[in-house]
Amino acid sequence: MYNAPTSDMLFVMKHLAGLDEIAALPGYEDATPETVRAVLEESAKLCGEVLAPLNVEGDRNPSRWDNGKVSATPGFAEAFRQFVAGGWQGVKHPHEYAGQGLPKLVATPCVEMLNASNLSFALCPLLTDGAIEALLTAGTEEQKQRYVPRLISGDWTGTMNLTEPQAGSDLAAVRTRAEPQGDGTDGTYRLFGTKIFITWGEHDMAENIVHLVLARTPDAPAGVKGISLFIVPKFLVNDDGSLGARNDVHCVSIEHKLGIKASPTAVLQFGDHGGAIGQLIGEENRGLEYMFIMMNAARFAVGMQGVAVSDRAYQKAVAYAKERVQSRPVDGSSREAVTIIHHPDVRRMLSTMRALTEASRALAYVAAAQSDLAHGHPDAAVRAQHEARYEYLVPIVKGWSTELSVEVASLGIQVHGGMGFIEETGAAQFYRDARILPIYEGTTAIQANDLIGRKTLRDGGAAAKALMADVALTVAALGEQDGTPFKSMQKHLAAGQQALASVVDYVLANVKRDPNAVFAGSVPYLLLAGIVLGGWQMARAMLASARLKPQDPAFHGAKIATAQFYAEHVLPQAVALEAAIVSAKGDEGVLALSADQF
Amino acid sequence: MYNAPTSDMLFVMKHLAGLDEIAALPGYEDATPETVRAVLEESAKLCGEVLAPLNVEGDRNPSRWDNGKVSATPGFAEAFRQFVAGGWQGVKHPHEYAGQGLPKLVATPCVEMLNASNLSFALCPLLTDGAIEALLTAGTEEQKQRYVPRLISGDWTGTMNLTEPQAGSDLAAVRTRAEPQGDGTDGTYRLFGTKIFITWGEHDMAENIVHLVLARTPDAPAGVKGISLFIVPKFLVNDDGSLGARNDVHCVSIEHKLGIKASPTAVLQFGDHGGAIGQLIGEENRGLEYMFIMMNAARFAVGMQGVAVSDRAYQKAVAYAKERVQSRPVDGSSREAVTIIHHPDVRRMLSTMRALTEASRALAYVAAAQSDLAHGHPDAAVRAQHEARYEYLVPIVKGWSTELSVEVASLGIQVHGGMGFIEETGAAQFYRDARILPIYEGTTAIQANDLIGRKTLRDGGAAAKALMADVALTVAALGEQDGTPFKSMQKHLAAGQQALASVVDYVLANVKRDPNAVFAGSVPYLLLAGIVLGGWQMARAMLASARLKPQDPAFHGAKIATAQFYAEHVLPQAVALEAAIVSAKGDEGVLALSADQF
């Protein structure tokens, strides 16, 4: 069972992310309130009715490898046909390539629903989106015309081929070779190498698979500056768009994983039979740069996977807590055993799951709106401002939301008690599935390096400080409200904001002098930023709900109470993280032990 | 690979838990330093060489049910023979029933090793220990003589049968019936009912299984005051100790679980063919009381499982981090990629795993010593004092260590990056296995209820306050040391101690007036107590290491650095938890939402 939380989604879109402003941007005129609501409702229907029921099936009956061919879980191919037939692969892609041209803010709840209903399934469209982004970013017009509409129609799907056994987080170590074809006339290359961890790298849901592959040309410089990006389709594509010969890329195995079992994770062998034919995308040696554009989109999408799994785990735990009868209430209000949702600790767990889910959702949607403004605003200076904010938020959305999803899924098991540990119950699948999210598309440490290196230092902390100034405005606005929830949020958000400010100053002041100490605090900094900026959205939500409460007292009352819970249970962690970060001195604490002492 | 951390174990036993004092108690004279070291070394050998290699095998090839019979993982039965032949089932049990009569403090590292090497396997001796405890507590001399030596020899194993489908945390709901036999001459009963979640409830590693079963006699009062405890052997035992007829208790299925897969979790059906023959233990209607004595021992043991899994996950992560080469160091100290243990965030993760493991180990061993003093001290008043401290610590050891183990195992996966998500790597097994620990033998919420109800309120906070006075002495002793690590610990431990003191006051003052609010903070209170009391042990360790450093600078330097890390990264969470606890007001925050609003 999955019921898309469309009320909360629309609330966040309208009152926190500024849907009206986005819809007013040139090109996004279609995003009227009616259209947006209709899109969300249709998406909710497909996800709830078609994809969600296949989620457990995918876990029990994963994709299978047999002699180079991979069969998806029964039912997946048919569901994929429905998904692409509904136009869902193209929601945010341009009209000119058969997409729907809607803003990222509108595509984001659809992505959330897709992932909440079926994480393994959702990875196929997610990777295809990545391939589309890369082609739109760096492809020639011919490449775009040839590939993008077929990827949006779902005739073909896409993959990203980065990792090699010796090159995980460190893409400088990529070894796959790309040799220009002998005659040099058609601009094609022959690729040789092994790629691992290729999500949906082989399957039977589409007639072709378009692999985007990082490789080195013969004279490329060492390291990340010598990596180029290639299109290597499973079947070569003729000039008329029809499929030609089978290319020399083969799936030699798929992994046996902790979770997301329906999603085949392929080892792909390129060039064992003479070379896989590939075409360069963009310029030689700029592959990593293109990949980063596409990775930013993919990282945001993985952050949404975190929100999605959290919400699904929350929904399941709530349903169980409303149904399972066990023990009398501690306050003596009943002599009979009650449903466990009446027990204070179950309430605490559910409130934690709910608050973390709502905060991470709100922060991600607000980031999506920044991306729309960065692309669509008529004023270049305003675009740049929003771009900087979006860039700052992406590693936080990716790192924080996914770390939370592990915690939330774990709480989901705990709410179920012993039943949670039994696989048939289904709560354990979320705990297993979620565990990949803080790892792939860049581990939390990689996100945190990005947050420090590219997103904080490069602009001297300008984006971070602009955000904190806005948080301070919200703190002030809270002061104008009466009542404990608002006072409590004001106090804890102000303390969180100060903690974040002090950490940003610490990072800026010390990173050159003592990089080890600063980077030892990188993940705590990312989590602290997530907690405070997520808290900021909860505070903004409670201010909006204070205004809107008469329209729907139950909904807005719950928003205010959940925000208060977040203020008192989550925001205080910010100060604890600050202590951990600023106390890390180069030769003490975290770095004091030699490797041998571990 | 598992290397028992005997150096740290001996350090904790000697310098924190007071091994000398324990060995001086009457009856524990055998626990000389030489014997203790030899016991630990022998245990380490068996666990490292025999049991640890079977751990992965148990995960891949779990116990199997076939027509009522359960086969253990291949290799387990032979390993079990070696385990019992070495006398390991009897380490802490009395000489008079063929045990070794060693203190709990000495048995505890053996239990840790056993669980670290193979959690699923270890559950069989753990449950047998529980059955032995119950028999020793409430059995007749004849029952003790008949069952205990055979349980210690491993001819037979034991189980605890509490849970029923409608009676999980709430044993008041137990429905299994026990009817006195018609003639009333032999004092036996016939039992009818279904028990679920029975660990090692059926298997082929021993010739008999002694089930201890909670059931109701015909005229028993409702609720927990009408539950009696019965011995129901799988095969009836003749007066000469030989096995008689097969009893009417049958395993109708075993569960398909997230982890501890080698350990069969049985559904047992009693009395489908006329009634399972059982013998009452102790007095009628006092079953829960006996069960609680045995559960306290089992809860402590499950806390040790938490420590054990944490340590195993830590060892695996360290080994990988020392071997995996990826990326250049952030401080520019090498132009080549280095092993990942040189990266600050990997260091932070390993330090977190290490600090949490050491702290939870130290607290548990200190608690074990309290139990020895409570049993063995010649002075009744001193015994009572130590008993109160042990009782206070048990729910913390159980709840906190197991919650930590989930976090530590999750970090263990993260250290491995993408490889951590691949089942063959083995890190994921710890993450799956650990997840049951905060659930069985009483969920963390049940431990927290116990901590508030029986352990804090009942003595008006006396045990809690006595502990805090001792923590304050350590804070003062830290002040007499020079150097940042000591100053840092002093500051954070003092703040933690104050947070815990304020929470204890809050609990005492408000639980009657507003039980919902106080119990909403019960788990945060338990975790806060664990963090502070674990930090107290880290502080005591660093003081001991300051004194002992010249003897072994690498070992003691690591203790001091790890304690500092704990002070700066873990202890600050205490203050955050305090905020969450004392802010929970009955009609706000955690309890503000109606069930419908979830």
Side-chain angles (χ1 to χ4, degrees), chain A residues 325-329 334-339 343, chain B residues 170 173:
Chain A
V325 173
Q326 196 78 173
S327 300
R328 288 179 293 179
S334 163
R335 295 186 54 87
E336 303 295 319
V338 293
T339 52
H343 298 315
Chain B
D170 184 10

Side-chain angles (χ1 to χ4, degrees), chain A residues 162-177 194-195 214-216 221-227 288, chain B residues 324-328 336-337:
Chain A
L162 287 70
T163 306
E164 300 177 9
Q166 78 294 346
S169 296
D170 184 10
L171 292 172
V174 159
R175 284 188 201 142
T176 296
R177 290 178 294 127
T194 304
K195 293 286 182 180
L214 290 184
R216 291 184 187 284
V224 293
K225 289 180 179 152
I227 299 176
L288 206 72
Chain B
R324 170 72 171 170
V325 173
Q326 195 78 175
S327 299
R328 289 180 291 179
E336 303 295 318

